[in-house]
Amino acid sequence: MDDLHNQNITIWPNPSNGQITVQVEDAEKYSSIKVMDYLGKVVYEVNDINNSTSIDLQVPAGIYFIKVLGEDVESTQKIIIQ
């Protein structure tokens, strides 16, 4: 299982079948999670995140970008959906 680590954010599994977990240290710094396709279209968004947020993506196989946003922080990571 590959994990993505960036600014205390871990996303697993990667690659995934659509069921992913976004684990965020200091979750109070972040307000939302957006999942975008390669064209930048938002395909999933959640505005109530905590230290461990489960996401069930119902999207076609491909490469997506998960953006975790806060007032002064932002992290974007790539995930592969099989």
Side-chain angles (χ1 to χ4, degrees):
M1 166 173 37
D2 293 323
D3 295 340
L4 295 176
H5 298 278
N6 187 353
Q7 300 176 359
N8 300 320
I9 296 171
T10 306
I11 300 171
W12 79 88
N14 188 28
S16 170
N17 64 0
Q19 299 280 334
I20 60 172
T21 300
V22 180
Q23 186 170 344
V24 180
E25 290 183 29
D26 302 323
E28 63 277 358
K29 292 181 182 178
Y30 299 93
S31 58
S32 66
I33 298 171
K34 293 183 181 183
V35 181
M36 296 164 292
D37 64 14
Y38 67 95
L39 295 174
K41 178 183 175 190
V42 175
V43 296
Y44 184 91
E45 183 173 2
V46 61
N47 293 310
D48 182 23
I49 68 172
N50 53 40
N51 289 339
S52 184
T53 303
S54 296
I55 296 174
D56 181 13
L57 292 176
Q58 301 294 321
V59 294
I63 296 174
Y64 293 84
F65 297 92
I66 297 178
K67 186 177 282 192
V68 184
L69 301 158
E71 189 171 315
D72 297 323
V73 290
E74 178 180 308
S75 176
T76 303
Q77 300 178 34
K78 178 174 71 171
I79 189 162
I80 299 168
I81 302 298
Q82 297 178 324

